[in-house]
Amino acid sequence: MLIETRPYKKLHFGISLGLTVFYSSAVVVIPLLGLFFHSLGIGVSGILEVFADERIRSALFLSFSVGFISALINLFVGFLFAWVLVRYNFPFKKLLDTLIDLPFTLPTAVAGIALTTIYSQNGIIGSFFDKWGIKIAYTPIGIVIALVFIGFPFVVRTVQPVIEELPKELEESARCLGATPFQTFYKVLLPELWPSLLAGTGMAFARSIGEYGSVVFISGNIPGKTEILPLLIVTKLEQYEYEKATSIALVMLLTSFVFMFLINLLQERASKKLS
Amino acid sequence: MKKFPRISNLKSKISAILCIFLGVMSFSSLASEGTFLHVSFDPTRELYEEINKAFLKEWKNKKGNDFAIQQSHGGSGKQARAVIDGLDADVVSLALSYDIDSISTKSGLIDANWQKKLPNNSVPYYSTIVFLVRKSNPKKIKDWDDIVKPGISIITPNPKTSGGARWNYLAAYGFAKRKYKSDEKATEFIKALFKNTSVLDTGARGSTTTFVQRGIGDVLITWENEAKLSLDEEKRSGKNTLEVVYPSESIKAETPVAVVTKTATEKGNLEKATAYLEFLYSKEGQSIIAKHFFRPTDAAVSKASAKEFPNIKLFSLSDLGETWDSAQKKHFADAGVFDAIYKTK
């Protein structure tokens, strides 16, 4: 007799699919459609007009550029963290592993206030840099630091399991065939890792451009200089201009979606190549 | 063969979940029916904690029954939006009459003539805009003219996101308009002011933190009650690094209150809501208000607390020939004066 390892019936499938569809429409699809229809109130030309404003364009540029820079930093820092956590043993390793999730659980406003305290002119780190004439808080550098803080768990947590599952034989055979450590890393390990690195970085990036709570405290919010897009959404809401607010949100949403979609495609291609 | 999970089991699970769901729903609807909700703006938290206690005591003496008052605090505009979107407030007290007007016109929950329903245009207390500077005033800041000079670093919240900051802005604008008698000069003045501004926080409390805790800036433009609160806190922690400077003249920042008539009627709270707001005008209410550094409107109480509130020249919004509606359109709406300040070209 065959042993049924997965004895789930059609009925079970029906119920679970039903629940999934219900849940995803109630929580994700319907609110987002609402957003979509709300902005359609002013039409596509209206949406474009919103972005004709110089302030909004400069915030758009700032949000995407600091998001990109911080995602790039997170790519390296996150990878390093994941690597160290998997490959080495050291005291308090479990503690460090737990600390990484903190940016996920901490309210971002708390993170923003804490970072501003440390990096402002009279803060512990800020005062040190201030001596050299470098300002961190209330400049784009401060925003990048906040975004690195909230984004790096994404990279660590997506790459970590992949490093864990790399077969030992892979490196051993590479070394046996005469590859240097660098060659082993670059030609053997990296192709295995980069789909997950890409995914983590993409998520960190998407999160960064939408981040509000931590950034408003450290950025100083000067229009044209350190004003980010999510702040402009809040600004529009304060003025009861719901359509303009949702149009900005919609553009951010679409961009993030396209970005994530491209990354998923790349990832799929990479993993096909590997297998 | 085992069937897993059994259907009967599943059914009972679903019904259990439904029961819990319905239970929570009915509980929450019950909860909202019996409550009394006051929606207010940020810096009034401590004030209303004390007001509520005093009012409930008086209510119990008169009517013999007890009820609980719930408080919700946040940025004034955000709070107004929450009420428009369905937060079932019985009374609101906000930073600007514009926000209450918005609730009235956008949702109809508040009667259009709300300002006429209570004494003094429904303004039980007011405040004004002053400067907070570093101890012994190293930059010699005495009046509005001094803060627009080059080299002064100003901290003020963003008028686009903070109702309180709009009062700051209009105080500076009003000063310049009255002094130079021209709109253009006043706009120039505002431009110079924001050119000197180094951090635009999203709310008043954020600006206070930036100035007091982070030590950024030479002068904080702030509400009198917020400035006095900062001094009070410093005194309590044994520090002495700040000083309040009263400019030659400033704006009368009127903070109105209103009963959310429709909601209060539906919830059966109309009588309580009206009594609650009227209590703010009573002797007791007014002295609690003065204690929390808001200026009372009652003549006797304001005489008694005159020492706390220096007598400076105050102009009101109507003295500038503006209403909130026109000021909003001219200064803070998209492509208004404030937006133009940050246009580079």
Side-chain angles (χ1 to χ4, degrees):
Chain A
M1 199 181 96
L2 269 173
I3 300 167
E4 247 183 306
T5 46
R6 289 182 170 170
Y8 307 122
K9 294 278 148 56
K10 221 176 169 184
L11 171 77
H12 307 148
F13 170 72
I15 290 176
S16 31
L17 182 73
L19 275 174
T20 316
V21 170
F22 169 75
Y23 187 80
S24 57
S25 6
V27 178
V28 183
V29 179
I30 293 176
L32 290 185
L33 274 182
L35 188 75
F36 192 69
F37 284 116
H38 217 120
S39 359
L40 282 188
I42 55 171
V44 178
S45 59
I47 296 177
L48 291 178
E49 215 168 87
V50 171
F51 284 88
D53 183 7
E54 192 192 321
R55 244 177 103 185
I56 293 187
R57 269 187 289 137
S58 83
L60 187 79
F61 177 74
L62 179 76
S63 275
F64 277 90
S65 53
V66 288
F68 184 74
I69 294 169
S70 66
L72 215 59
I73 295 174
N74 274 330
L75 171 68
F76 290 104
V77 178
F79 176 61
L80 191 75
F81 261 76
W83 185 264
V84 166
L85 280 175
V86 175
R87 287 299 167 98
Y88 303 100
N89 268 319
F90 49 90
F92 304 114
K93 183 174 155 177
K94 266 264 162 292
L95 193 74
L96 186 70
D97 201 35
T98 318
L99 274 178
I100 287 175
D101 282 329
L102 220 56
F104 275 158
T105 50
L106 201 70
T108 49
V110 176
I113 292 171
L115 288 172
T116 316
T117 309
I118 294 166
Y119 286 101
S120 70
Q121 279 169 32
N122 60 357
I124 303 170
I125 301 177
S127 59
F128 177 76
F129 280 96
D130 198 48
K131 274 185 225 147
W132 305 83
I134 302 169
K135 275 196 180 137
I136 297 179
Y138 313 115
T139 65
I141 307 174
I143 307 180
V144 169
I145 287 176
L147 294 181
V148 167
F149 178 82
I150 56 124
F152 93 98
F154 285 99
V155 182
V156 180
R157 290 302 184 224
T158 34
V159 184
Q160 207 176 5
V162 184
I163 302 179
E164 256 161 23
E165 265 160 38
L166 283 179
K168 221 176 168 190
E169 296 79 24
L170 214 63
E171 283 158 86
E172 281 171 354
S173 40
R175 295 303 300 275
C176 286
L177 290 169
T180 61
F182 178 74
Q183 280 172 327
T184 316
F185 173 75
Y186 184 72
K187 296 209 160 153
V188 180
L189 296 183
L190 210 56
E192 294 276 343
L193 291 179
W194 85 267
S196 60
L197 276 170
L198 203 63
T201 312
M203 280 193 277
F205 175 74
R207 172 73 200 271
S208 293
I209 55 171
E211 174 60 17
Y212 175 75
S214 58
V215 176
V216 288
F217 290 100
I218 205 167
S219 70
N221 306 322
I222 301 293
K225 281 185 192 144
T226 55
E227 200 174 48
I228 51 160
L229 267 187
L231 176 70
L232 282 172
I233 297 183
V234 175
T235 306
K236 300 287 175 230
L237 288 176
E238 288 291 314
Q239 295 170 67
Y240 308 103
E241 308 214 49
Y242 296 100
E243 279 133 350
K244 284 187 182 171
T246 50
S247 335
I248 302 177
L250 191 69
V251 168
M252 287 172 70
L253 195 76
L254 286 177
T255 330
S256 291
F257 184 78
V258 169
F259 199 78
M260 296 301 283
F261 191 74
L262 285 178
I263 279 179
N264 275 346
L265 276 184
L266 276 176
Q267 217 187 338
E268 207 166 288
R269 264 177 49 189
S271 45
K272 258 189 200 150
K273 224 183 190 174
L274 281 175
S275 62
Chain B
M1 238 194 290
K2 260 190 191 170
K3 279 181 189 168
F4 176 81
R6 278 200 307 277
I7 301 195
S8 60
N9 202 353
L10 198 80
K11 262 185 188 161
S12 66
K13 265 181 197 161
I14 290 178
S15 53
I17 290 171
L18 266 176
C19 281
I20 294 170
F21 184 68
L22 289 176
V24 169
M25 291 286 284
S26 58
F27 178 76
S28 61
S29 68
L30 262 179
S32 83
E33 231 164 66
T35 55
F36 182 91
L37 179 62
H38 177 182
V39 169
S40 187
F41 63 118
D42 259 332
T44 57
R45 198 179 311 257
E46 296 80 12
L47 164 67
Y48 280 111
E49 264 166 31
E50 206 172 332
I51 290 274
N52 291 350
K53 255 184 232 153
F55 171 71
L56 288 175
K57 208 169 149 198
E58 200 200 73
W59 181 265
K60 193 163 190 197
N61 282 344
K62 267 190 196 156
K63 306 270 173 179
N65 63 348
D66 237 344
F67 68 100
I69 298 174
Q70 290 185 337
Q71 281 290 136
S72 160
H73 293 272
S76 186
K78 202 175 83 200
Q79 295 292 73
R81 221 173 43 242
V83 174
I84 293 170
D85 291 342
L87 181 64
D88 52 356
D90 295 286
V91 294
V92 289
S93 58
L94 297 173
L96 334 158
S97 61
Y98 179 74
D99 286 328
I100 299 185
D101 279 335
S102 297
I103 299 176
S104 171
T105 53
K106 283 183 208 298
S107 70
L109 293 170
I110 296 174
D111 300 343
N113 65 342
W114 63 271
Q115 270 201 306
K116 297 278 161 288
K117 290 196 171 172
L118 287 160
N120 195 28
N121 276 330
S122 291
V123 176
Y125 50 87
Y126 62 98
S127 191
T128 187
I129 306 301
V130 300
F131 304 142
L132 201 61
V133 298
R134 311 276 170 212
K135 191 74 199 172
S136 68
N137 201 354
K139 297 273 169 127
K140 306 261 169 302
I141 292 160
K142 291 263 170 331
D143 207 348
W144 291 101
D145 279 326
D146 299 320
I147 67 169
V148 297
K149 285 177 188 157
I152 301 284
S153 163
I154 302 172
I155 306 294
T156 176
N158 188 339
K160 286 246 180 185
T161 51
S162 158
R166 280 176 224 168
W167 284 116
N168 293 4
Y169 176 108
L170 289 169
Y173 181 84
F175 165 83
K177 194 178 170 184
R178 284 157 68 83
K179 184 165 178 185
Y180 301 112
K181 309 258 178 308
S182 120
D183 264 352
E184 270 161 38
K185 285 263 172 63
T187 307
E188 284 302 307
F189 189 86
I190 283 287
K191 275 189 184 164
L193 189 147
F194 280 98
K195 207 155 262 166
N196 276 353
T197 303
S198 43
V199 176
L200 279 173
D201 282 292
T202 49
R205 203 40 73 79
S207 280
T208 310
T209 312
T210 301
F211 183 77
V212 179
Q213 312 289 341
R214 316 249 184 277
I216 310 274
D218 302 312
V219 53
L220 173 74
I221 309 179
T222 183
W223 289 46
E224 186 183 33
N225 62 298
E226 188 77 5
K228 282 179 174 283
L229 203 66
S230 299
L231 288 191
D232 215 43
E233 240 146 59
E234 283 225 310
K235 214 191 278 167
R236 241 178 288 150
S237 60
K239 278 191 278 183
N240 186 19
T241 62
L242 301 170
E243 221 175 277
V244 177
V245 170
Y246 280 87
S248 64
E249 60 176 347
S250 190
I251 202 160
K252 189 175 183 186
E254 295 184 297
T255 48
V257 298
V259 174
V260 186
T261 334
K262 221 167 165 183
T263 314
T265 313
E266 268 166 28
K267 283 162 73 181
N269 281 342
L270 195 60
E271 192 195 352
K272 286 175 195 162
T274 316
Y276 181 70
L277 292 189
E278 275 163 2
F279 178 76
L280 295 175
Y281 292 88
S282 71
K283 281 265 157 8
E284 195 186 353
Q286 290 278 306
S287 12
I288 296 174
I289 284 164
K291 205 175 114 192
H292 288 273
F293 311 121
F294 282 98
R295 294 191 174 213
T297 47
D298 183 89
V301 177
S302 57
K303 212 172 187 182
S305 57
K307 210 172 65 186
E308 277 292 336
F309 305 110
N311 193 13
I312 65 166
K313 211 194 262 171
L314 294 179
F315 52 85
S316 67
L317 203 57
S318 54
D319 291 335
L320 302 175
E322 301 267 12
T323 62
W324 263 112
D325 210 36
S326 67
Q328 179 72 26
K329 277 197 189 99
K330 185 167 154 195
H331 295 282
F332 310 120
D334 283 353
V337 176
F338 183 72
D339 276 0
I341 292 172
Y342 287 102
K343 279 251 154 69
T344 42
K345 286 150 223 151

